[in-house]
């Protein structure tokens, strides 16, 4: 009975509000420091030197497999392209605040389009050996003023299975560098303090092509499309998504409030724009492109991933725009969501409608003020100036070049 009353209230709020009121409710600026940070302009606050590396580290990989341009790890490619023409780029390394190495460590795809991270450590070591031999800047800090884009499932741990990623740990040569990565989880060996957590790549033009009129009612209460079980990699079940996705399916597959399925319809983007809540559960890693899609399409993200560190958390007020559900509370998901007052939902939707929020989650071509490229630069600018302690004394070494698995030490 309570659920029926809540659904009736939703229909009243979302289906029959007059057009003028909808217009007044449509957007809301983020208040306080979060909104100010989101609108920061990094130009003039930092200078970045882009190393010129042989094409085998980047362009040749892309030429070999153009699919790398569209997969969810493509930020490594577009960040390179952006920096080449960015006003923060300097051609004089002596005046640089940061040094960037254009390496595409996830552009090695299976026939199914899944990135293989197993060559990435050797590629990284090879590139670092090159820049440390040909330029003096790496050696003076052992990479503390360098940043790398490592957008794989578990970042610079370079494995798609968490247990093995933890066993590997972050590549030793990257321990002092700033890592720009999609993976973020508190108290995890694959997330260094000071790393910049970014959104995964989602194709902006494709998403724009599927926009529907904003006044179409949101008639779907909860929406999700994706795997609940990964029978190929987790045949016994329970390991994939730490059982959270399986719990969603087992508890709500027959619940009329939940539009959930493994099917991926051609109307996927349109359906998200017709939904009030979009589930964003962890998979093999805690993050997924659904976070980006939900924000862009104004669907309140329901984040099911304990201890997740979300993209640009110092600029995007995730607590205000999303709903956080502990993995162990998934069986109570219906009660949790139907208990949220309509006025709270409306405010979350107003915040999500703010164009600044959407821009911050995307890597558009060409770049736009406030987009994900600029949020990364803002994150780097906020880490300046570098503490004097990062500069090593003559003859001082901190990193161990022979540390790590034996396979990582082989030439690339």
């Amino acid at each position: 009975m309570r659920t029926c009353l809540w659904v009736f209230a939703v229909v009243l709020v979302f289906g029959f509000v007059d057009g003028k009121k909808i217009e007044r409710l449509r957007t809301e600026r983020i208040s306080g420091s979060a909104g100010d940070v989101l609108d920061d302009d990094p130009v003039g606050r930092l200078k970045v030197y882009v190393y010129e590396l042989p094409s085998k580290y980047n362009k040749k990989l892309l030429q070999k497999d153009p699919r790398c341009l569209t997969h969810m790890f493509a930020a490594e490619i577009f960040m390179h392209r952006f920096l080449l023409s960015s006003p923060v780029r300097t051609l004089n390394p002596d005046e640089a605040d940061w040094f960037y190495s254009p390496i595409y460590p996830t552009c090695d795809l299976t026939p199914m389009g899944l990135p293989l991270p197993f060559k990435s450590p050797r590629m990284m070591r090879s590139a670092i050996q090159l820049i440390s031999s040909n330029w003096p800047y790496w050696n003076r800090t052992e990479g503390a003023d360098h940043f790398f884009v490592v957008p794989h499932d578990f970042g610079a741990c370079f494995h798609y299975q968490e247990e093995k990623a933890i066993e590997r740990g972050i590549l030793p040569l990257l321990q002092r560098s700033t890592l720009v990565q999609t993976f973020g989880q508190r108290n995890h060996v694959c997330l260094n303090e000071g790393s910049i957590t970014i959104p995964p790549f989602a194709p902006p033009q494709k998403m724009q092509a599927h926009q529907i009129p904003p006044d179409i009612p949101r008639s779907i209460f909860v929406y999700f499309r994706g795997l609940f079980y990964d029978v190929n990699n987790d045949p016994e079940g329970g390991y994939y998504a730490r059982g959270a996705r399986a719990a969603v399916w087992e508890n709500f597959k027959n619940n009329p409030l939940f539009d959930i399925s493994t099917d991926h319809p051609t109307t996927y983007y349109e359906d998200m724009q017709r939904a009030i809540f979009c589930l964003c559960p962890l998979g093999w890693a805690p993050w997924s492109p659904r976070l980006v899609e939900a924000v862009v399409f104004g669907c309140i993200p329901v984040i099911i991933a304990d201890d997740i560190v979300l993209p640009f958390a110092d600029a995007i007020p995730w607590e205000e725009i999303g709903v956080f559900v502990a993995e162990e509370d998934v069986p109570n998901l219906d009660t949790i969501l139907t208990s949220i007052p309509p006025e709270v939902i409306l405010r979350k939707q107003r915040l999500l409608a703010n164009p600044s929020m959407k821009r911050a989650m995307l890597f558009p071509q060409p770049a736009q003020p406030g987009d994900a490229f600029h949020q990364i630069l803002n994150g780097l600018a906020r880490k300046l100036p570098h503490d004097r302690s990062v500069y090593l004394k003559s003859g001082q070494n901190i990193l161990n070049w022979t540390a790590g698995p034996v396979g990582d030490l082989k030439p690339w």
Side-chain angles (χ1 to χ4, degrees), residues 240-292:
Y240 177 62
R242 296 197 283 260
R245 291 197 187 200
V248 170
W249 178 249
E250 296 301 332
N251 285 279
F252 304 111
K253 59 188 175 184
N254 297 317
N255 189 316
L257 292 178
F258 284 68
D259 186 347
I260 58 176
S261 172
T262 56
D263 296 333
H264 203 289
T266 56
T267 57
Y268 173 70
Y269 285 156
E270 289 83 356
D271 292 344
M272 292 189 86
Q273 294 169 80
R274 295 186 180 98
I276 297 171
F277 295 105
C278 288
L279 300 186
C280 301
L282 74 163
W284 284 111
W287 59 271
S288 84
R290 291 176 190 82
L291 277 172
V292 179

Side-chain angles (χ1 to χ4, degrees), residues 52-60 102 130 135:
E52 293 187 21
L53 298 183
S55 60
K56 69 176 184 177
Y57 294 102
N58 41 64
K59 294 178 183 177
K60 280 191 176 178
L130 181 68
W135 289 272

